[in-house]
Amino acid sequence: QVRLVESGGGSVQAGGSLRLSCAASGSVVSISVMGWYRQAPGKQRELVARISRSGSTNYADSVKARFTISRDKNTMYLQMNSLNPEDTAVYYCNTATYSGFDFWGQGTQVTVSS
């Protein structure tokens, strides 16, 4: 079992920045990939970025060059720059374990006003 706790969401004006954190606890040695997903009202949840245990990353096209995912031991971060209203969503932390299980955090709201 892996427990994930997100923090760092909030409200910001367009062009601003926010940094999200996700702290993992529990069976952290079983974590393979960690990632951030987001879900805007009326839309499906989508991948924002993810990072493997080895440090390889991939990003959604919509956030490339603006967002940076990083990982330090059992904490994952998402630095979000040049935010725009289309980035408004609930952001969720996710982990995938080597045994194929998925765990989700409770989500943190990010609101970007124009």
Side-chain angles (χ1 to χ4, degrees):
Q1 193 80 4
V2 177
R3 181 169 181 258
L4 303 171
V5 178
E6 301 112 332
S7 60
S11 297
V12 66
Q13 288 192 327
S17 299
L18 284 173
R19 189 191 196 208
L20 305 183
S21 299
C22 172
S25 60
S27 301
V28 294
V29 294
S30 65
I31 294 174
S32 171
V33 177
M34 297 186 76
W36 290 99
Y37 289 73
R38 67 185 181 186
Q39 187 166 19
K43 295 188 177 180
Q44 289 189 330
R45 190 172 297 189
E46 63 176 1
L47 173 68
V48 177
R50 58 187 171 198
I51 183 167
S52 71
R53 184 172 282 273
S54 65
S56 61
T57 60
N58 62 291
Y59 295 88
D61 287 344
S62 60
V63 306
K64 280 180 182 176
R66 299 189 298 122
F67 290 11
T68 303
I69 190 171
S70 60
R71 185 171 170 178
D72 179 16
K73 295 183 181 178
N74 301 322
T75 301
M76 177 178 64
Y77 304 96
L78 186 68
Q79 178 65 43
M80 306 186 293
N81 298 327
S82 301
L83 285 161
N84 59 62
E86 290 70 39
D87 296 315
T88 295
V90 178
Y91 284 70
Y92 296 91
C93 174
N94 168 270
T95 67
T97 68
Y98 290 107
S99 55
F101 289 101
D102 268 327
F103 296 95
W104 294 90
Q106 81 283 358
T108 185
Q109 176 71 45
V110 171
T111 302
V112 184
S113 58
S114 56

